[in-house]
Amino acid sequence: MNRAMLLTNHRIRTGVAATMLIAGSLAVPGIAGAQGSLSALGFGYPVNGMSIRASGTAGAFGDIDPLSPINPAALGGIARTVLSAQAEPEYRRLTVGGVTERTASQRIPLLAVIFPAARGVAVGFSARGFLDRSYTTTTRGTADVDGASLSTNEQLTMRGAIGDIRGAVGWQIGNWARVGLGGHIFTGENTGVRERTFADTLRFGSTLDSSRVTYIGTAVSIGGEIRLFKGLAAAASYRAGNRFEARIRDTTRAAGNVPARLGGTLRYDGITGSSFAVGFEQVNWSAMQSMASSRTRAHDALNLFGGAEVAGPRLRGVPLLLRAGYARTDLPFSTTSAPVREIRLSGGLGFPLARDAAAIDFSLQRATRSLAGSAAREAAWLLGVGIQVRP
């Protein structure tokens, strides 16, 4: 019995160490079914951490919205202090052949505060989700102990996320331009717990092991917005990533770079009470490939967005804001040479409160995801609610 327990413990520790050594990027054949999610492959789903207003437009307003910590130039000209918090749970359904599995993720994707300063300058601080990776895998198999084949049940639970903490300053230059600069700290952890139990519980006890990977990286972002002519403006932003490390017990086990990002948006607000935007972003996710396992592929992404916000019916004399949007995005990680493709349709509502001293926003997104060459199909609902207070 002691020998069997030692052998099993050794195998468990070896498996967990190997998994966590590659920065928590577990990837094995059939992982989509095992994880219950196409979007949680590799280091996880790119949360983006936009405001609920931007989520209601499927991300089209991300580069021009001051509460979305993407383009620091969007802070310029903010005249009132703004406090914001939001939640955005996701409910997923994965179908492989005739088998369906449902999972859920509870997220707080963004906390933000903006302080106005003199002469069109504003300062913002935010904490947003960057990558989210949480799942539980249960497998059944056998283990050889002293020449005997024993039935086993093994459960691997991963809980982890990487966040983006940003401090930024934006400056509005007259009525025609804005510029901004931001500094980012990317940090988080993945915790893996592996438990193996034997069918013969009278002779063999269960084994349990765990390991944790922490992440640390930095980046700098710049942005600008310029009014081309009445009703039309263009915005652009760029994030330059620095070294990104995965550590186990304060020892660096893998390193790469924070993915660089380039984005651009055209906005038209020449119709009173309405705003329309189209945009793109390119994210260099392959900068994280050296941190991943050999079975995980990191793919650079080109994402496209389009969305609108229009004034709707009035509530106590103030118009409600109606939002809608469409996005086509590539998710950063997969197990093949092709990325997971995501299509999102979104809608949203904005409710001003207390004479614009506060507001509450709602968004609803429908996402469908597929991987070329795979029978796996994933559909998800993302529900968002955000509150802003302007004291």
Side-chain angles (χ1 to χ4, degrees):
M1 180 174 176
N2 289 337
R3 181 179 176 185
M5 291 295 292
L6 288 173
L7 178 59
T8 304
N9 271 311
H10 173 72
R11 289 177 176 174
I12 294 294
R13 292 180 182 278
T14 300
V16 173
T19 300
M20 304 309 292
L21 180 62
I22 56 176
S25 173
L26 180 68
V28 296
I31 191 170
Q35 288 192 191
S37 174
L38 281 175
S39 57
L41 297 174
F43 291 91
Y45 182 72
V47 179
N48 288 325
M50 295 179 290
S51 71
I52 296 300
R53 179 196 183 203
S55 294
T57 62
F61 281 30
D63 241 341
I64 58 177
D65 178 56
L67 285 176
S68 298
I70 297 174
N71 185 348
L75 295 170
I78 297 298
R80 297 174 64 178
T81 298
V82 182
L83 306 175
S84 176
Q86 60 191 59
E88 194 172 50
E90 178 182 356
Y91 302 92
R92 299 182 294 256
R93 185 188 71 224
L94 179 73
T95 302
V96 183
V99 179
T100 297
E101 184 172 346
R102 290 176 170 83
T103 57
S105 294
Q106 304 298 324
R107 300 185 182 118
I108 299 178
L110 177 63
L111 299 171
V113 58
I114 302 173
F115 301 101
R119 299 183 181 181
V121 176
V123 178
F125 298 94
S126 62
R128 68 162 181 152
F130 180 62
L131 289 168
D132 177 74
R133 182 172 182 264
S134 298
Y135 66 88
T136 298
T137 300
T138 300
T139 57
R140 294 177 176 84
T142 59
D144 293 329
V145 179
D146 287 338
S149 180
L150 304 175
S151 297
T152 64
N153 188 75
E154 188 171 293
Q155 179 173 286
L156 174 64
T157 301
M158 299 295 296
R159 294 290 180 266
I162 300 175
D164 172 11
I165 301 172
R166 188 194 78 164
V169 58
W171 178 32
Q172 180 170 334
I173 308 171
N175 295 320
W176 62 278
R178 301 177 185 178
V179 294
L181 175 68
H184 304 252
I185 298 175
F186 292 83
T187 184
E189 66 178 37
N190 271 338
T191 299
V193 178
R194 188 188 296 262
E195 181 178 14
R196 175 178 287 185
T197 57
F198 290 83
D200 188 351
T201 57
L202 295 179
R203 295 179 58 199
F204 300 95
S206 63
T207 61
L208 181 69
D209 207 342
S210 64
S211 187
R212 184 178 70 171
V213 175
T214 59
Y215 304 94
I216 187 68
T218 60
V220 175
S221 61
I222 59 173
E225 181 178 331
I226 185 169
R227 186 165 294 276
L228 302 176
F229 54 84
K230 185 178 180 179
L232 184 66
S237 61
Y238 177 73
R239 182 184 68 217
N242 299 320
R243 183 176 171 85
F244 205 6
E245 296 182 351
R247 300 175 179 176
I248 299 178
R249 297 188 181 93
D250 297 325
T251 300
T252 299
R253 297 302 182 91
N257 288 292
V258 173
R261 177 197 173 276
L262 174 66
T265 299
L266 283 176
R267 178 184 65 188
Y268 178 73
D269 53 10
I271 302 175
T272 302
S274 300
S275 185
F276 305 88
V278 293
F280 80 95
E281 69 172 1
Q282 185 171 358
V283 187
N284 182 29
W285 292 106
S286 60
M288 295 180 66
Q289 181 65 66
S290 59
M291 302 169 65
S293 77
S294 59
R295 296 182 179 181
T296 296
R297 304 286 185 89
H299 302 277
D300 293 339
L302 176 60
N303 305 325
L304 303 176
F305 315 94
E309 179 182 76
V310 299
R314 290 181 171 271
L315 179 65
R316 296 183 179 180
V318 180
L320 303 181
L321 298 174
L322 308 179
R323 303 175 182 121
Y326 167 87
R328 193 209 72 181
T329 61
D330 294 327
L331 300 190
F333 307 107
S334 75
T335 56
T336 71
S337 58
V340 175
R341 174 64 52 82
E342 178 184 73
I343 301 295
R344 276 184 290 123
L345 296 174
S346 71
L349 295 172
F351 294 85
L353 303 173
R355 297 183 180 179
D356 205 34
I360 183 168
D361 294 311
F362 298 94
S363 69
L364 176 63
Q365 299 184 79
R366 179 61 169 176
T368 56
R369 299 155 186 155
S370 61
L371 177 61
S374 170
R377 295 293 183 271
E378 182 173 298
W381 291 101
L382 293 89
L383 312 177
V385 57
I387 298 175
Q388 297 88 47
V389 179
R390 308 179 185 96

